[in-house]
Amino acid sequence: MRLEPLANASPGRVLGVTLAALGLAFVLVGAVFVAYGQNPLEVYRLMLSGTLLDAKGWQEILRRSIPLLLIGVGLTLAFRTQFYNIGAEGQLLLGAVLAAGVALFLPLPAPLSLPAMALAGALGGALWCGLAAWLRLRFSVNEILSTLMLNYVAQSLVIFLINGPWRGKDVRGYIYSDRFAEYQQIPVWAGSSVHWPTLLLGVLLALVLQFVLFRTTLGFRMRIVGENPGAARYLGIAQGRVLLLLALITGGMAGLAGVGEIAGIHHRLIEPSQLSSGYGFTAIIVAWLARGHPALVLLTAPLMGLVLAGGDLLKVSLNMPFRIVDIFSGVILFCLIGSELFLRYRVRWGR
């Protein structure tokens, strides 16, 4: 047996390898269910019947998919350009902080308040990610480390604010800020927590950025910087500017996800673990599954939304551990990374 390098993996091969990686991941997670004393087929049946075959389950999938869609589209662009942003969790939190600051302390006319919150949230996420990009360009700091560490800084900032200067007047038990005014809340579908304007924005941005990436000069520069930095230098493309722009876009979209969560669901700034539920990390899988195509996030985000919604169902129905979703996500990501070998090489048997 030997491995032969592949110049380019065909779309069929990419699809086959990705589906095989997902299948292996579900088999491995099934082994975890067996170790916990559960029949994996019964567990998966419960997940599907409680989500895809239930109206409330669909609403929960959509609610979970909204932040994954926004963050995943941005990360798809970033990974395509080899800017490995692992800090979307912190960028979501910074977006939520700046949006909450506008809602709580900036007196604006009612029609302008929500747009100003969205703008501030996008700016907060963009600046948080832009800081990591600047550190890479100026001091050659690895963005994987800087964005990861900035997540914890953002978490500490949120906890400090809601436990200190932004602490709500009616706090009982959990810490949080004051509630936003009604005109500062994003509309939702009746009887659900699906803030549909944010969902429509995510769909629109996925389609627009797909067009930008594959049909514009800017998109060509992004792809060249990611696929062949040497060729980008030869063509005179300013790689630093492209990377900084990508960082601002991906961070801004994560910031918008933060705005959606606080203005569409919670209506106040709350503790980081309740605000995000690890969306920034789960969106890495969403982006990886999309294989560099922002429009494909329209499929991969609901897939992971199904995993998150199904995981919550298992916690309640089967009394499974709180971290069962993390096991799901980790195994899927591990299998996807391992499958990259079969996209770069072909297995040949014999001499």
Side-chain angles (χ1 to χ4, degrees):
M1 184 185 73
R2 67 184 187 279
L3 297 176
E4 291 183 354
L6 281 173
N8 286 299
S10 66
R13 187 180 183 86
V14 172
L15 177 61
V17 168
T18 301
L19 291 177
L22 288 175
L24 176 61
F26 277 88
V27 170
L28 294 176
V29 174
V32 175
F33 294 148
V34 171
Y36 198 71
Q38 300 288 343
N39 183 338
L41 296 179
E42 179 62 23
V43 172
Y44 288 135
R45 186 201 64 79
L46 176 63
M47 284 183 64
L48 294 178
S49 62
T51 52
L52 296 179
L53 302 180
D54 182 82
K56 291 291 185 182
W58 270 106
Q59 293 174 4
E60 189 64 15
I61 291 173
L62 285 177
R63 181 181 77 83
R64 296 290 198 147
S65 299
I66 293 172
L68 296 178
L69 173 60
L70 284 167
I71 301 171
V73 169
L75 291 183
T76 300
L77 283 180
F79 294 165
R80 182 103 193 196
T81 318
Q82 294 192 24
F83 180 80
Y84 297 106
N85 175 19
I86 313 298
E89 188 81 358
Q91 292 145 28
L92 180 153
L93 294 176
L94 255 292
V97 165
L98 265 67
V102 169
L104 296 172
F105 305 112
L106 189 60
L108 289 173
L112 298 179
S113 188
L114 198 52
M117 290 170 62
L119 182 60
L123 181 62
L127 292 178
W128 207 240
C129 189
L131 173 59
W134 178 78
L135 289 172
R136 168 176 163 173
L137 296 172
R138 184 67 177 84
F139 301 106
S140 299
V141 176
N142 187 301
E143 73 273 11
I144 295 177
L145 296 177
S146 60
T147 53
L148 184 62
M149 293 300 102
L150 285 171
N151 286 333
Y152 301 105
V153 177
Q155 291 174 6
S156 299
L157 175 62
V158 172
I159 292 172
F160 165 74
L161 290 174
I162 60 178
N163 200 38
W166 292 12
R167 185 183 178 92
K169 299 181 181 64
D170 60 342
V171 167
R172 297 292 185 276
Y174 293 108
I175 53 175
Y176 44 78
S177 72
D178 289 327
R179 188 176 179 85
F180 301 158
E182 196 165 324
Y183 60 82
Q184 296 170 329
Q185 301 174 15
I186 299 177
V188 298
W189 281 338
S192 75
S193 298
V194 179
H195 36 107
W196 59 266
T198 320
L199 176 61
L200 291 181
L201 177 62
V203 172
L204 178 62
L205 287 174
L207 297 176
V208 167
L209 290 176
Q210 176 77 11
F211 177 83
V212 169
L213 186 61
F214 292 100
R215 292 291 186 270
T216 67
T217 303
L218 175 60
F220 171 75
R221 292 175 180 173
M222 292 177 181
R223 287 184 284 120
I224 289 295
V225 167
E227 296 168 9
N228 196 331
R233 285 191 295 271
Y234 179 78
L235 293 172
I237 297 175
Q239 298 182 60
R241 292 181 182 179
V242 172
L243 286 176
L244 183 58
L245 175 62
L246 257 296
L248 295 177
I249 292 174
T250 185
M253 295 187 70
L256 285 173
V259 178
E261 291 303 294
I262 62 167
I265 298 177
H266 305 291
H267 306 144
R268 51 167 47 103
L269 188 63
I270 60 176
E271 294 186 64
S273 60
Q274 298 176 337
L275 174 59
S276 174
S277 301
Y279 290 130
F281 297 113
T282 306
I284 294 173
I285 303 174
V286 170
W288 206 289
L289 282 169
R291 301 292 183 183
H293 292 77
L296 287 182
V297 176
L298 295 174
L299 299 177
T300 61
L303 173 63
M304 291 309 299
L306 169 64
V307 171
L308 294 180
D312 286 345
L313 185 65
L314 297 183
K315 297 172 193 175
V316 176
S317 302
L318 299 180
N319 196 29
M320 284 197 166
F322 176 75
R323 293 298 181 184
I324 188 65
V325 174
D326 294 338
I327 296 174
F328 247 120
S329 301
V331 172
I332 290 174
L333 183 58
F334 177 80
C335 291
L336 286 173
I337 293 174
S339 71
E340 289 293 310
L341 175 70
F342 301 99
L343 296 179
R344 298 178 183 178
Y345 298 92
R346 178 190 293 112
V347 178
R348 289 292 190 188
W349 298 94
R351 296 183 178 179

